[in-house]
Amino acid sequence: MLTGKTSPSFAAQFVSSPRGARLARRLAVRHMAEWGYPPVSDASCAVALVVGELAANAVQHGRTPGHDFGLRLVLDAAAGLVRVEVADAAGEKRPPVTGPSSCPEGESGRGLLLVDALAVRRGTEARWPVGKTVWAEVPVGSISGSGADPSSASRTALSVGPGGGCRG
């Protein structure tokens, strides 16, 4: 659990669509920059990828007609973590506790493997009155300097794409 007393945070609702998931990811990168983590930093890229995967899962598996999905980011600078929370209205559809042990042959099913590689922990909580919140805590290092977590290089290689975005 995050330990910050008055941690910087961001929260918003998005249309439960692929466009909403893309917007959630872009706004996450913008808020990471406001918190001192440039868009090209490993920390910002890791948070963007986790937001993208959890938001895409909310759209694909948690979509309920008439309901949006929510995103909440909380920076705990003291712990060097950003907590990513994505909430949807489908409480009965929960992600597996652990991702698949290997990449499946199909076109999907790798998102939780990516989240598990980038986050120190993740989980799911029931949301009142309806739905669930899927969360992950992503190590981001300290704000001073680049915000890069030295151990992240061993977990995954990220590169900067055209226009300063992240690519995995």
Side-chain angles (χ1 to χ4, degrees):
M1 193 77 173
L2 296 176
T3 59
K5 294 178 184 173
T6 57
S7 298
S9 64
F10 163 74
Q13 294 289 116
F14 299 91
V15 174
S16 190
S17 69
R19 186 176 184 183
R22 282 191 305 274
L23 181 57
R25 180 179 166 144
R26 287 181 180 151
L27 288 175
V29 170
R30 179 180 297 169
H31 283 276
M32 289 295 291
E34 289 176 8
W35 295 339
Y37 299 94
V40 297
S41 68
D42 286 350
S44 182
C45 288
V47 169
L49 288 169
V50 169
V51 167
E53 291 301 329
L54 296 184
N57 284 350
V59 169
Q60 184 174 3
H61 304 293
R63 185 174 186 189
T64 302
H67 293 275
D68 296 338
F69 74 89
L71 169 67
R72 182 171 180 251
L73 303 174
V74 181
L75 171 64
D76 185 340
L81 295 172
V82 169
R83 182 174 170 111
V84 175
E85 298 177 355
V86 175
D88 64 49
E92 70 284 352
K93 297 179 184 176
R94 294 183 179 260
V97 175
T98 60
S101 60
S102 63
C103 292
E105 296 295 323
E107 293 181 12
S108 64
R110 295 174 190 86
L112 291 178
L113 286 173
L114 180 61
V115 172
D116 286 343
L118 295 170
V120 293
R121 65 188 148 265
R122 73 169 169 93
T124 306
E125 298 171 353
R127 190 175 65 125
W128 189 87
V130 64
K132 67 179 174 303
T133 299
V134 180
W135 57 267
E137 293 178 350
V138 181
V140 294
S142 64
I143 293 176
S144 61
S146 68
D149 173 21
S151 65
S152 68
S154 64
R155 286 196 297 268
T156 187
L158 302 174
S159 62
V160 179
C166 305
R167 298 188 293 181

